[in-house]
Each structure stands twice: as C-alpha cells, then as structure tokens.
C-alpha cells in the first residue's frame, strides 16, 4: 500500500522528472505521483499542509524556508544547477546572446516566470537588470504563473520571445520548435536547485519517500539531469 | 488520457448538489416567506458567491481551513481532519460557491406558489413540515429541477477556489477544470481540448435539457 | 359561541386604515360580511382563521381563546377547528380529487367522511380526476368538501361563488345551505352578492372602511322600505318609433321588450339607449318558480 | 369601407379551433362583437389591428390592402390607421396623463387635438397626474383619448368597460357614443354586455367557436320576440309569512320588495330564497328617465 | 500596498458593463419576444458562461487570441492588435464571461412588461425603436439596475479566464482577483487579506444596495 510517493515538483523539472519517474518506478515498483507548480506556490501549499512527501525545488531558498519552519526533515541538498535560455518559436526571430534584439519593435511581448514565486523568473529579471534592459522592457514583460505557463506563452506565440529553463527546450515536446540560445552563466546567480524530504513523507510514507529522495542523488539521476541541460557538479 | 479528473469532478458535483439540495430547500423556504429585516442581509450573503472573485472566496477558505489558523487547528487537533487539499474541503468550498445557484431558483419557485395553497394546508391542520413535503415541493418540481441542474453544472465549472485550496492532487482534488488548466500549461493542447470538449458538451446538453423540460412543464401547467 | 373584538392597522391603497370590529356569533349562525372592495372583509375572516394576526383584541371560540393580545395568545391556524374556502379554491394541483380530500383527513379519523362528502357534493364520478381537469363549479364543490373533511365547527368562506356562472351559483348555494344545516356549522360568508346573502344568511355585517356600519337581518338591511303595491323596474330604451297616436318606445326589460306610449310633451326627453324606470300602479302579480 | 375575410387556427383550451369569419363595415358603422369566452372575439380585432397574422384571407380598408395571404401582404400595425383600446388600458406607467397623449401625437401634427380630447373626456384637471394615480374610469377615458390622438379611421375596443362600475360605465358609454359621431369613426366593440351593445351599436356579430352564428340589429338579435303586453320579471323570495287569508310571500325585485299572495295549493311549493318569475297581465306602464 | 490592481479592476468592470449594456438590451429584447426554435439554442449559449469552467472559456479564448492561430493572426497582421496579455483582450473575455448576468435580468424585465404596452405603442404608429426607448426601457428600470450591478460585480470577480489569458502584467492585466491569488502564492497573506476585504466589502455594499433599491422600486410600483 505504501508503494506510492507524492512529489511536489518545480515546473522546470517536469520534463526531466518524466524520465526519472519511469526509471524509478521500474527499479522499485513504487508509484510516483507528480504535483507541478512554481517553487513558491508549492512551498506555500506545503506550509498550508499539503500532503506531499518530497519537494523538488528550483532553488535552495524555498526548501530552506521549509526546513527552518519544520516542514522538512533535513536541510536541503542541491541535485543540479539550472540553466536559463532565451527562446522564441517565431520564424522571424532568432534569439542572440546579445540581448539588444529584445528592444526591437517586433518583439512586443517577452514572457518570464513570475519572480515572486519562480526562481527562473528571478534569474530572468536579474539578467535583464544586468544588461540594463529591465526598465526599458518592463512594458513588454508578461508573467507566467510558473515556468510552464511561461513556456505556453512562448510556444503559442502569444509572447514573441521569453526566458525559460533549458530543460524545457530540450524536452521531447518542444525539441526542434523555434530557436533558443543559452544565457551566459555568469550573467545571473547560479540556479542551485535543491530538494528536501518533507515531514509528511517521513511520517506517513517513510520508506518510499526516502527511497525516492535518495534516488534523486543517484548516478542514474545525474545522467538524466545532464541530458536535460542541467549542470551537475 | 487520464479520466480520473472527470470522475472526480462528477463525484464532487454529485455530492455538492446532494448537500445543497438539503440546505437549499429550508433556506429558500425561509427566504421566500419571512419578511424580517434580517432577511435582506441573508439574501445578500447567499448571493455573495455570485459576485465575489473565486480568489477571495478561496483566500478566506484557505485562512479558515489552514491548520495554522484557529478553526483549521481545532479540526486538526480534535478530529484529525484537514480540509485544505482534501476532497471534503472541496465539497465545503463548492457548497459555498454554488449556494446561490441552488437557493435562487427554489426561492422563486416557492414565491410563485399561491399563498392560499399554504394556508389551505394550515387550515386543514397540517404542520409546516407536512405542508412543505406534501404540498409545496410537489408543486415546484420545475424549479427544483432548475436548481439541481444549475448547481450541478456550476460545480463542474468551479475553478478558482479549487485552485487555491485544492492543490491539484490527483485523485483527490485534481478536478477537470484544474486538469484543463494544467494541460494547457504543459501545452498538451490535445488533451486539454478533449477535457474542455467533454465539459462543454455536457454542460450544453444539461442546460438545453433543462430549458426544454421547463418549457414542457410550463406548457403542461398552462393546459 | 364566538366572541370577537378585532383591531388591525391595514395598509390600504390610499394610506392606512384602522380595522375595528366586534361581533358575536351564536352556534348555527350563518352570517355574511358585505361591503365595498378594500373594506376589510377578507382581513376579518383571515384573522378568524389565524392567517393574519390582529394588533389588538380577542377571539374566543366556545371557551377556547384563539387570540388575545393581552394574554399574548395567538393560536396557529392548524389548531383552530376551522374550514376555510378560498376565492381561488386553493386546491392542491399535485393531487387528484380523492387525494385532496384524503390529505385533509386527520390521523385516525374514519375514511367514511370522504365518500359521504363526495356524494353530497356530487363528486363521486370524479374521484380520480386531476384537479386541473375540473370545471369551475366542480373545483368549487371540491374546495367546499375539502374544508369539511375535518368536521370544522366554524366554516369561513371568502367570496366562494364569485367566479362561477349563474346556474352553477344557484346549485352551489343550495349545497352550501344543506351542508350548513347537515353538519351543524357556524358559517361566515364574505359575499358581494345581495341575492346570495338573502338566500343564505340569517345575519349580515355591512363593513365600510374597516368599521361595521350596519348589522342585522339581510332583507331588512338591504331593502329597508316596506313592501308596497307599486312595481318599479329598470329598463332601457331600444327603439323609438312614430305611431298614429304619437310615439312608441320599446323598452328592454330582460327577458322581454315592452312597448310604452310616450306623451306628446315627453317625446324629446327620451332617446335610444336611455335607462328608464318603468312603473305601474295597482300591481297585482302572480309568481311562478324558476327551476335552476 | 372595410371588407374582410379571416381564417386562423387557434389553440383553444380543449384542442384546436378554426376561426372563419367574413364581414363588411360601412363608414360610420358601430359594430359590436358578442360571444362566449374563448369564441375568438379578441382574435378578430387583433387581426384587424395587425397584432395577429391570419392564416388566410384578406383585409381591405378603403382601397388599401392591410392583409392578403395570396399577395403576401401583412401591413404592420404602425401603418394601419387604427385606434386600439385594450381591456387592461395599457397606459404607459412612466408617463403622466398629458405625456401619454403627447406620445401618441404624430410628427408635425398640431398639438390642439390633445387639449380637445382632454376636454371631451374630462381629463383637463388631471393633465400632470401619473397614470398609476388615476381611478379605473379615468384610466379608461385616458386610454380612449390616447387612441383618438392619431385621428384613426377605425377604432377597435376590446371589452373596454368591463372593469368599471355601473355609474362609470354609463357615463363612458355616453362619451364613447359622442366620440364615435364627433370624429366620424368606424368602431368595432367587443363586449359581453347586451345592454351596452343595444345602447351603442347599430350592428352585432355573434360569434361562437370561431364562427359568426348571427348577425344584425342588436335588439332583434338578442330579443327576437315581439314586444307584448305582459310583464315578466325575475325576483327572489325573501320571506313567507302567514296572514289571515293564507300565506304572503315577499319577493325581492330590486329596488323594491313586493308582496304576493300565495294560493292554498302553492304554499308548499315555495320557500325562502327561491328564484321566481313575477308576471302580470294587462300591463299598462309609464316610464321615467333615470339620470346617471 | 499597490492599489493599481484595484484601479484596473474598476476600469475593467466599468468598460465591460458599458459594452454589455449595449449588447444586452437588444439581445434580451430578442430573446424575450421571439418564439423561434433558434431561440432555445441562443438562450443556452448565453447561459453557457454560467456553467462552463473559466479554464475552458480561457482555453478557447487563448486559442482564438493567439497570434499563431487564424483569428489572432488576422488581427495581428491586419490591425496590429494582439488580444492576449492586453486590456482589450480582458474586456472581450469579460464581456463573454459576464454576458448571462446582463442578459438574464433584462430578459425577465422585458418578459414582465405586459404585451399590450408594446402593442399600444405600435397601434399609435410608433416604430420598434421608439417603443423600446420611450416605453419598454423606462418601465424596466429595476431590471436594468439589477443587470448593471450584477454584471459589474461579476466582472470584478473574474479570475480563471484572466489567469489564463492575462499574463499578470501590472497596470494592464493584473486585476485585483489575480493580485490576491499572487499574494497568497507568495504568502503575503496580509496584503491578500487587504485586497480580499476591499472586494468583499465592495461587493457586499453593491449587492445590498441593489436589493434595497429593488424592494423600494417594487413597493413604489405596487402602490
Ligand atoms: N397583511 C396586511 N397588512 C396590512 N394591510 C393589509 C394586509 N392585507 C391586506 N391589507 C390591506 O387592507 C385593505 C383591506 O383588504 P381586504 O382584503 O380585507 O379587503 P376586502 O374587503 O376583502 O376587499 P375585496 O372585496 O377587494 O376582496 C386593503 O387595502 C389591503 O391592501
Ligand atoms: N396567437 C394565438 N394563436 C393561437 N391561438 C390563440 C392565440 N391567441 C389566442 N388564442 C386562442 O384562441 C382562442 C380564442 O381566444 P380569444 O382571446 O380570441 O377569445 P375571446 O372570444 O376574446 O374570449 P374572452 O371573452 O375570454 O376574451 C382561445 O382559446 C385562445 O387560447
Ligand atoms: O520551475 Mo519554477 O519554480 O516555475 O521557476
Ligand atoms: Mg377580499
Ligand atoms: Mg377577449
């Protein structure tokens, strides 16, 4: 009966997680139930008592808060570093490393994740500020509730271009759609993505939760992160 | 495609409608026949879910249900019940959210029954309860039908509140409206479209049937 | 024996109106309440039934106190032993004729009364009809029968016959009269039909503006003049034609038209359509019963 | 000159009913339509007004074609030169008396007609009243005045006086008659009041089940018997008392009660409340006008 | 605290209500007086937003508005208009979303005006338009009031649709209901509470006023 683990997953990890999940289920026979959302939203829900066993965040700050507020058993452990990309699916728009193209007239809307709740949004704002574009572009910004909604804005061309996770553009769903460019890693603070084992999991579902949590740091897992563009140290 | 969200939506709609049916009848009865000043206030409160943003309703429910707040804490420590992110929590939220859709049609139904019908039953020595069951309800069948169907359909459409207090847990709180949002976000337009189409078609058929049945009942009555 | 003093402030079309009445009813009385629209007739019997609460006063019925402002008693309609017949019948549309009557039956009462009442009111054949499918007169009889199932001591009737046609009214009045005697009722009838009141009631209250302005035997109240030997009938001129001797008016006195010679000096005075009073001195009539 | 042939399938309470009528009106005619409820009276004048579209037939009005099934013509009510008076008055509640009349005035027409009509119908004093604050009779007069503002050639009246009391009806009938002559109208009146028809109309159509069953002069139609010299009046027995010679019945013949001696053998035959026919041979009456 | 979302909500509600007023009157007029079979279908379509999940409405609007789809592309290439993430887009969404709240009360209002009033105006030679303006509308004031207020309040409450097509742009599409959701997600319960309270209080007062004014109007009418 305990052969199930409920995992709250930051939206950028959803593509990698599909593969992780298949692998883990095959190895252990334990079912993985995935709840997606922005890291901030999931953190809020966990604090309100959501019944999640493991939390895979897009940064270290949110899991740390949970640990400090006694919703997690251990301090958070980084599993990979995220990479930010600039992506467009419009045929007449080719993202460049030099971001001045964002100022062009034909770029009407730029999608980023909501910096209030999504670490990838924070990184995107940081990069725009670094290039002194933030104030000029503020009118063009639209905010996805999480990185998924951001992807959706770019994919449907509702936004002409946008900042998202590299894992997204490498995913099966989006592979080969539009063009993207990786943002220089020194342009933003490293997106150190960490996970924690939650109290709920430790209390109600110890064995499976721990198995899954440990699996996140296994060799096989690391290979999968790399395949989806994450940097693993 | 995962049919669980549709199944869950159906369960939620059935349970909510059933509960509201038993809350709605006495409440509508009271509103239709009382003439106190409290009535205006209660009438407004019943209508509030019509005009309040679901996020406002969701916010207050979140405060009420959260185990860190007094009511939620009380439930948690004394009964080991947690309403956020749970099906019972959704049911309570839906009951509040769909309340006006049950109460309003029944109230108009009661108001349309001639007063003399109630009084006739009283003059025959019948209690209010007997009068309600044997005389009033059988004579407002078409209002009851509207109320049930609207409540059912509106519960199917519940979204904002669920998003805030439901937490998208498969098999527990991931209802169809949330699943559609989710699928759209993950760009599975095909399955979003399938969910949406099923809900659209269901609502359309339900609503069309009510209109037609109501017209039929009206005609039968007028003959 | 009913003894009542009633006061109620009513909100009439042209401002407030004080209803202030007091009257007594002896067992077996058939009293009628007569008066213009809005006078307060319906309000009075609704207070007797308990549907409307008086502002002040008392209602005592055979020793029971149904209402007393000072003692703060207001017996629910359910607990007053009354029968009420509504102007709009108020039959239960979800039930058949028989079901309407059965619904009225009190617990543990024998069911015989239903058959008896259906027979008295001539509804036996209609037992399983839906009430919507009844004619006006049949509905009226059912309403009456239903009010009697409980064997009330006090029967209250609010203009019960105003919506039925003449022939039907005749026969229902007869039924009403029989029932009043047969079940030994005290009956209060609101009516605006003087002929009906004279036929049925032994006493009349005439109400105006919430006050009883006259009270007594119906014939005395409505036709206080002494019977005399002259006949006056109102009619209408349908035609005026020239004849050898002058002019002749045809006067419509339903069911016939009569001819009246006009004097020379009267000719310009009359014209077609005029309402006229026909009089005839030294009148020596005979009468013949009209079978309904 | 109006010439019409109308056919319409109506959905009556007890199944469908075929309305099939054809009639002509001469200019200046005042015709009335009489018949039981549901016969199709209202339907006929609604078709004349253009509110209801016949299934077949024609309506020709002084050379214009208002309706023709074959030519596929159905003139909108707005384009027919009619005045229509509704049973429920249909006054505009958002306007005063004067505004109701002004609204009816066509563009570029002189406003004098308003004052004239207010004077004819006695509404001058009420010019700025809201219509809700009018009495039934005042409302009726306003409805009539409003229908005339347009100076229609054809005036259609749907039971216009059925909701007003007797005295008011009298005076409105007089106004109606004057107006009919003064404005040289052709008038169609739906009415169930025979006395009213006799007073106002020069021709009557009697409708039953959608068919004209009789047509002609009102007095001839309703009282086909020859005037004769016997008087029959219906009355009601209010009392029977013993006298030395036998029994004496008091018979109510409003506005009086007369006394009739009963023969020995008749005594058991009569009782209080009975309706009776009073007859008197060799009748030689005089008449006196009743002032309204 | 940032008051812009409240201000934006107000603008959205005013514009939507104004537009719906002019759409609602002819539509309600048509529904109240036409007796065709098309009517039942149209009636159901008008009611659909009542029962469809906002996420379904949002999904279809997103598809329609997206510049990669035909309608959105057409607007973009010919008129340089993009409806997603824009205030005009929200207005269109709100108009669809709140349609039944404008149409239903006005329709019942029209249905309650005695047919003879319309016919009387026709018999006086007045056109349908003159009849509408001078006779019908002045006599359904209280229904118009209900319609306006309900539409206004319901637009304030719009959430799910905006969430899907709005993009949360401050000053453009970040209306109060979204702001509340946002604040709750980022756990700023205090400011979520403030927004929620303002909306709750506003809705309550608006609704109470309508009920009271309506009762007043009813009483005036009945005298
Ligand atoms: N519950 C009530 N409270 C206050 N006023 C009332 C109430 N019910 C009726 N009225 C008013 O009292 C007045 C008298 O009404 P009532 O129905 O008794 O008259 P009525 O004599 O029966 O008239 P009608 O012949 O028209 O039936 C009316 O003006 C009515 O508006
Ligand atoms: N538009 C319509 N289409 C079909 N049938 C109709 C229509 N309007 C009325 N009827 C039916 O036609 C029948 C005749 O109605 P109408 O109103 O003409 O009768 P009436 O003679 O005026 O009766 P009353 O004296 O009761 O006013 C009724 O049974 C009615 O239901
Ligand atoms: O994966 Mo996130 O938490 O939406 O940036
Ligand atoms: Mg009355
Ligand atoms: Mg009619």
């Amino acid at each position: 009966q305990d052969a199930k683990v409920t995992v709250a997953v930051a939206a950028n990890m959803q593509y990698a997680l599909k593969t992780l999940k298949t692998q883990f289920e095959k190895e252990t026979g334990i079912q993985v139930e995935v709840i997606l959302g922005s890291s901030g939203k999931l953190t809020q829900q966990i604090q309100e008592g959501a019944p999640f066993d493991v939390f895979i965040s897009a940064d270290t700050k949110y899991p740390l808060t949970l640990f400090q507020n006694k919703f997690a058993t251990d301090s958070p452990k980084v599993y990979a570093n995220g990479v930010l990309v600039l992506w467009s699916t419009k045929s007449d728009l080719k993202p460049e490393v030099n971001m001045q193209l964002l100022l062009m007239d034909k770029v009407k809307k730029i999608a980023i994740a909501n910096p209030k709740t999504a670490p990838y949004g924070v990184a995107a704002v940081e990069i725009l500020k670094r290039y002194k574009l933030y104030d000029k572009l503020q009118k063009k910004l639209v905010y996805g509730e999480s990185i998924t909604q951001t992807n959706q804005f770019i994919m449907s061309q509702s936004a002409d271009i946008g900042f998202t996770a590299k894992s997204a553009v490498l995913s099966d769903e989006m592979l080969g759609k539009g063009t993207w460019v990786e943002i220089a890693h020194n342009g933003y603070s490293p997106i150190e993505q960490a996970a924690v084992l939650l109290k709920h999991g430790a209390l109600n579902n110890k064995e499976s939760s721990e198995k899954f949590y440990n699996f996140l740091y296994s060799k096989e897992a690391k290979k999968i992160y790399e395949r989806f563009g994450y940097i693993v140290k | 495609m995962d049919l669980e969200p549709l199944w869950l939506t159906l369960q939620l709609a059935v349970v909510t409608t059933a509960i509201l049916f038993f809350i709605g009848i006495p409440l509508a009865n009271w509103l239709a026949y009382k003439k106190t000043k409290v009535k205006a206030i209660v009438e407004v409160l019943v209508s509030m879910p019509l005009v309040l943003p679901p996020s406002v309703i969701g916010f207050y429910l979140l405060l009420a249900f959260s185990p860190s707040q007094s009511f939620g804490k009380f439930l948690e420590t004394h009964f080991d019940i947690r309403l956020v992110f749970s099906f019972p929590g959704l049911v309570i939220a839906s009951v509040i959210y769909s309340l006006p859709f049950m109460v309003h049609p029944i109230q108009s139904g009661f108001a349309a029954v001639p007063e003399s019908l109630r009084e006739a039953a009283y003059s025959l020595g019948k209690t209010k309860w007997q009068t309600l069951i044997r005389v009033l309800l059988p004579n407002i069948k078409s209002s009851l039908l509207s109320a049930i169907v609207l409540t059912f359909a509106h519960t199917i459409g519940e979204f904002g509140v669920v998003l805030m207090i439901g937490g998208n847990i498969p098999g527990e709180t991931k209802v169809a409206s949330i699943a559609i949002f989710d699928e759209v976000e993950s760009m599975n337009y095909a399955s979003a479209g399938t969910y949406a189409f099923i809900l659209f078609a269901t609502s359309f058929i339900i609503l069309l049937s009510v209109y037609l049945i109501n017209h039929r009942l009206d005609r039968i009555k007028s003959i | 024996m009913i003894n009542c003093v009633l006061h109620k402030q009513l909100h009439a079309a042209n401002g407030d109106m004080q209803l202030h009445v007091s009257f007594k009813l002896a067992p077996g009385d058939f009293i009628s309440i007569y008066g213009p629209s809005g006078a307060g007739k319906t309000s009075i019997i609704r207070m007797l039934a308990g549907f409307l609460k008086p502002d002040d006063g008392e209602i005592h019925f055979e020793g029971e106190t149904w209402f007393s402002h000072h003692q703060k008693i207001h017996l629910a309609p359910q607990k007053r032993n009354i029968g009420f017949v509504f102007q709009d019948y108020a039959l239960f549309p979800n039930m058949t004729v028989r079901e309407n009557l059965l619904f009225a039956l009190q617990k543990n009462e024998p069911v015989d009364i239903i058959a008896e009442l259906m027979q008295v009111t001539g509804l036996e054949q209609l037992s399983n009809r839906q009430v919507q499918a009844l004619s006006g007169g049949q509905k009226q009889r059912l309403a009456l029968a239903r009010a009697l199932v409980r064997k009330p001591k006090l029967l209250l009737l609010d203009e019960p016959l105003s919506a039925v046609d003449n022939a039907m009214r005749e026969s229902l009045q007869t039924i009403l009269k029989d029932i009043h005697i047969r079940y030994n009722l005290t009956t209060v009838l609101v009516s605006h039909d003087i002929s009906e009141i004279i036929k049925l009631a032994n006493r009349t209250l005439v109400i105006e503006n919430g006050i009883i302005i006259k009270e007594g035997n119906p014939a005395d109240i409505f036709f206080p003049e002494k019977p005399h030997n002259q006949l006056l009938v109102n009619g209408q001129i349908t035609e005026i034609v020239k004849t050898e001797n002058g002019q002749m008016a045809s006067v419509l006195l339903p069911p016939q038209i009569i001819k009246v010679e006009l004097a020379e000096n009267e000719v310009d005075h009359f014209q077609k359509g005029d309402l006229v009073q026909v009089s005839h001195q030294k009148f020596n009539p005979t009468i013949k019963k009209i079978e309904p």
Side-chain angles (χ1 to χ4, degrees), chain A, chain B, chain C:
Chain A
Q1 185 59 37
D2 257 1
K4 195 179 115 185
V5 55
T6 308
V7 190
V9 182
N12 74 87
M13 275 290 288
Q14 63 174 301
Y15 314 101
L17 202 80
K18 259 189 222 160
T19 318
L20 281 174
K21 175 177 144 93
T22 322
Q23 189 79 26
F24 179 74
E25 284 177 350
K26 205 168 71 191
E27 274 181 21
T28 62
I30 298 171
Q31 292 283 315
V32 180
E33 195 88 81
V34 175
I35 315 288
L36 286 179
S38 66
S39 306
K41 176 190 189 166
L42 294 171
T43 303
Q44 177 253 338
Q45 293 185 339
I46 291 162
Q47 297 213 17
E48 292 299 347
F52 306 148
D53 300 330
V54 176
F55 174 40
I56 304 176
S57 178
D59 69 352
T60 315
K61 192 186 91 197
Y62 286 117
L64 194 61
T65 314
L66 288 176
F67 174 62
Q68 283 161 356
N69 293 345
K70 307 211 164 55
F71 287 95
T73 53
D74 274 315
S75 60
K77 244 164 62 186
V78 176
Y79 56 89
N81 275 19
V83 173
L84 192 66
V85 297
L86 183 59
W87 179 35
S88 169
T89 58
K90 297 192 80 165
S91 47
D92 57 346
L93 207 58
K94 301 265 177 279
E96 297 161 11
V97 182
N98 176 358
M99 267 171 284
Q100 298 305 320
L101 98 158
L102 296 179
L103 292 168
M104 285 161 55
D105 273 350
K106 68 175 175 183
V107 176
K108 293 200 182 96
K109 293 291 176 203
I110 304 162
I112 69 172
N114 188 347
K116 277 189 179 167
T117 51
Y120 279 83
V122 177
V125 171
E126 210 179 316
I127 200 86
L128 288 174
K129 284 188 172 155
R130 165 77 52 101
Y131 281 81
K132 306 244 176 325
L133 289 170
Y134 185 68
D135 292 330
K136 285 183 222 162
L137 292 176
Q138 218 170 11
K139 282 247 142 59
K140 293 187 177 183
L141 295 182
V142 302
Y143 301 90
E145 207 224 333
S146 70
I147 209 76
T148 7
Q149 203 179 16
T150 312
N151 292 338
Q152 174 218 327
F153 290 161
I154 303 168
M155 184 77 164
S156 66
Q157 298 176 10
S158 301
D160 305 278
I161 197 165
F163 291 93
T164 185
K166 188 175 179 186
S167 59
V169 293
L170 290 181
S171 69
D172 295 344
E173 289 90 342
M174 274 154 279
L175 200 61
K177 296 211 171 112
T179 43
W180 52 271
V181 63
E182 213 170 297
I183 306 293
H185 296 186
N186 56 359
Y188 53 95
S189 335
I191 306 175
E192 294 188 318
Q193 305 197 177
V196 281
L197 183 60
L198 296 170
K199 276 262 172 64
H200 181 271
L203 286 175
N204 301 298
N205 198 7
K206 195 163 184 344
E207 199 184 334
S208 311
S209 307
E210 278 176 354
K211 259 192 198 152
F212 182 78
Y213 183 65
N214 293 332
F215 177 73
L216 289 177
Y217 299 94
S218 66
K219 276 237 174 63
E220 296 154 280
K222 286 190 172 150
K223 258 186 236 155
I224 295 170
Y225 300 144
E226 277 170 343
R227 173 138 62 84
F228 280 88
Y230 294 95
I231 300 166
V232 188
K233 285 177 186 155
Chain B
M1 211 187 102
D2 183 11
L3 288 179
E4 195 162 42
L6 289 170
W7 173 231
L8 202 62
T9 299
L10 185 70
Q11 284 179 299
L12 181 65
V14 169
V15 174
T16 303
T17 307
I19 293 176
L20 270 178
F21 186 75
F22 292 104
I23 296 177
I25 288 175
L27 188 54
N29 192 26
W30 185 79
L31 285 174
Y33 298 127
K34 266 279 146 41
K35 274 163 201 149
T36 59
K37 274 168 202 159
V38 193
K39 183 189 142 171
I41 308 278
V42 176
E43 231 172 345
V44 170
L45 285 178
V46 168
S47 300
M48 287 301 281
L50 270 183
V51 301
L52 274 185
S55 51
V56 171
I57 303 178
F59 172 70
Y60 286 120
L61 287 177
L62 193 66
L63 285 192
F65 290 175
S66 163
S68 59
Q69 309 282 328
S70 53
F71 175 67
K73 193 183 270 170
F74 170 81
L75 285 182
E76 177 117 4
T77 48
H78 289 77
F79 300 100
D80 198 22
I81 292 172
R82 185 176 290 185
L83 289 176
V84 263
F85 311 119
S86 72
F87 186 76
L90 286 199
V91 170
I92 295 179
S94 307
V95 163
I96 293 172
Y97 183 64
S98 294
L99 183 65
F101 287 79
M102 182 62 85
V103 173
H104 283 175
I106 302 185
Q107 188 182 343
S108 335
F110 279 135
V113 174
E115 208 192 351
S116 60
L117 237 51
R118 269 192 315 141
E119 292 179 343
Y122 294 166
S123 78
L124 299 172
K126 301 300 164 187
T127 62
K128 292 200 171 175
W129 177 249
Q130 289 170 318
T131 307
L132 180 70
I133 300 296
R134 299 281 312 273
V135 175
L136 299 178
L137 293 183
N139 284 306
I140 58 162
K141 274 191 205 131
S142 90
S143 303
L144 288 176
L145 181 72
S146 296
I148 289 174
V149 171
L150 283 176
T151 304
F152 191 87
H154 197 239
T155 306
I156 288 180
E158 184 171 342
F159 170 72
V161 180
V162 181
L163 191 64
M164 278 182 94
I165 66 158
N168 204 351
I169 300 168
E172 179 84 16
T173 60
K174 186 177 188 173
V175 294
S177 57
I178 299 288
I180 292 171
F181 180 67
D182 221 43
E183 298 294 345
V184 171
E185 282 206 341
S186 348
M187 270 164 298
N188 299 329
Y189 285 178
S191 67
T194 313
Y195 282 130
F197 176 77
I198 294 177
L199 287 190
F200 182 88
T202 316
S203 303
F204 188 87
I205 290 169
I206 289 179
L207 221 56
L208 192 64
S209 323
V210 185
Y211 276 93
L212 294 179
I213 292 176
N214 257 352
H215 284 188
R216 173 82 49 84
L217 286 180
D218 281 358
R219 191 170 308 161
I220 291 172
K221 216 183 285 167
S222 76
I223 286 176
Chain C
M1 183 75 190
I2 298 173
N3 206 326
C4 71
V5 181
L6 299 170
H7 173 219
K8 174 91 190 168
Q9 169 157 334
L10 297 172
H11 308 295
N14 46 356
D16 285 352
M17 178 177 95
Q18 301 299 330
L19 181 98
H20 253 305
V21 295
S22 101
F23 56 90
K24 288 180 190 175
L25 302 182
D29 258 357
F30 197 130
I31 92 157
S32 76
I33 303 183
Y34 177 88
S37 179
K41 308 183 292 297
T42 298
S43 302
I44 292 174
I45 61 166
R46 286 174 59 79
M47 285 189 269
L48 284 177
F51 299 145
L52 187 67
K53 192 176 168 185
D55 295 338
D56 197 358
E58 324 242 304
I59 305 177
H60 299 283
F61 179 85
E62 299 184 355
E64 288 174 38
T65 300
W66 281 2
F67 174 78
S68 165
H69 182 68
H70 294 289
Q71 293 174 250
K72 296 208 166 28
I73 295 176
H74 182 232
L75 212 65
Q78 287 91 331
K79 304 219 172 104
R80 306 186 184 196
N81 195 356
I82 53 161
F84 200 107
V85 178
F86 295 81
Q87 187 170 353
D88 66 351
Y89 316 127
L91 299 174
F92 305 124
N94 56 315
M95 306 181 190
T96 62
V97 169
R98 196 183 159 72
E99 284 165 355
N100 263 278
L101 297 178
L102 275 176
F103 180 66
L105 197 69
Q106 309 301 296
K107 250 191 208 152
N108 308 324
E109 285 286 311
V111 75
D112 317 355
I113 182 87
I114 308 276
E116 179 183 329
L117 281 166
M118 288 214 276
Q119 192 235 311
V120 170
T121 52
L123 292 169
E124 297 118 314
Q125 308 299 322
L126 304 169
S127 178
N128 293 316
R129 264 298 168 88
Q130 285 297 321
V131 294
Q132 292 100 313
L134 297 181
S135 76
Q138 290 165 341
K139 282 183 184 162
Q140 193 61 70
R141 279 178 278 160
L142 178 55
L144 196 57
R146 192 184 58 180
L148 297 172
V149 171
R150 232 188 142 182
K151 295 189 189 139
K153 297 237 175 86
L154 178 63
L155 181 62
L156 303 167
L157 307 159
D158 192 2
E159 312 206 13
L161 304 181
S162 60
V164 295
D165 63 44
N166 284 339
M168 183 56 68
R169 187 177 308 139
E170 281 297 312
S171 87
L172 284 170
Q173 282 166 353
T174 310
I175 291 177
L176 213 51
K177 200 169 177 178
D178 292 349
I179 282 175
H180 173 76
I181 294 163
R182 183 186 192 123
Y183 295 106
N184 197 13
L185 300 168
T186 305
T187 303
V188 179
L189 167 75
V190 172
S191 173
H192 57 249
D193 179 345
I194 291 176
S195 147
E196 177 170 300
I197 292 176
I198 287 177
K199 178 160 179 184
L200 297 174
N202 65 339
R203 204 147 63 87
T204 291
L205 309 181
V206 181
I207 311 279
E208 240 168 59
N209 265 310
I211 307 284
I212 300 179
I213 56 160
K214 274 188 236 162
E215 187 177 347
N217 176 288
D220 295 347
I221 296 248
F222 295 115
F223 303 99
E225 286 173 49
K226 287 249 141 12
H228 46 63
N229 235 11
Q230 181 194 11
L231 178 67
L232 296 173
V233 204
N234 293 343
Q236 186 181 23
I237 298 182
T238 61
E239 212 177 11
I240 300 183
V241 289
K242 280 221 159 68
T243 58
E244 295 139 34
N245 327 17
Q247 300 220 347
M248 177 82 89
S250 298
V251 179
L252 173 63
L253 295 174
Q256 77 259 274
I257 292 180
I258 58 160
K259 294 203 164 175
V260 183
E261 257 177 58
L262 300 180
E264 280 288 332
N265 59 342
E266 284 178 341
V267 171
D268 295 340
H269 184 57
F270 292 107
Q271 64 182 69
K272 189 186 151 189
D274 277 352
L275 291 189
V276 294
Q277 191 171 64
V278 181
S279 60
H280 176 58
Q281 305 289 336
K282 298 237 184 79
F283 180 59
N284 190 16
T286 58
I287 60 175
K288 194 180 94 186
K289 194 156 160 182
I290 303 171
E291 304 299 339

